[in-house]
Amino acid sequence: MSEPTSKYSITMPRDIAEAAKARSGPSGLSAYVAAAVARQIERDNLNELIQVAEAEHGPIADDEIRSLRDELHRARSEQARGGANAA
């Protein structure tokens, strides 16, 4: 069962609205915009979580980020090849 909905009036640049409408497909513009807003809320929540973690533990070093990205890329590559040990 889906959440109850409400109708809102928003203003956005015409080119963005037309591009969204063209990409919205059968679910319609409202569903497309709702999904985009939901993704933005998730990103905002993650950014808040990162800020709290960095305030408590300090920022993550660039080399740590690179190392974890490399590890993720290796795991995805292995998974794509059908590896049994893929993450």
Side-chain angles (χ1 to χ4, degrees):
M1 181 184 282
S2 63
E3 293 288 321
T5 60
S6 295
K7 189 170 185 161
Y8 297 93
S9 175
I10 61 169
T11 303
M12 70 175 76
R14 181 174 284 138
D15 60 334
I16 293 173
E18 292 301 322
K21 191 174 179 180
R23 289 171 174 77
S24 64
S27 61
L29 182 59
S30 291
Y32 189 87
V33 171
V37 171
R39 280 192 305 275
Q40 185 61 48
I41 291 169
E42 288 174 356
R43 291 179 68 125
D44 293 345
N45 288 341
L46 286 171
N47 284 331
E48 290 172 8
L49 180 62
I50 290 168
Q51 288 175 355
V52 168
E54 286 184 341
E56 186 173 333
H57 304 288
I60 300 172
D62 288 342
D63 59 329
E64 291 176 283
I65 293 171
R66 274 192 298 278
S67 175
L68 290 170
R69 278 192 182 133
D70 290 345
E71 186 178 333
L72 179 61
H73 289 302
R74 280 191 302 277
R76 286 180 175 164
S77 294
E78 188 173 322
Q79 187 177 35
R81 289 190 308 267
N85 296 326

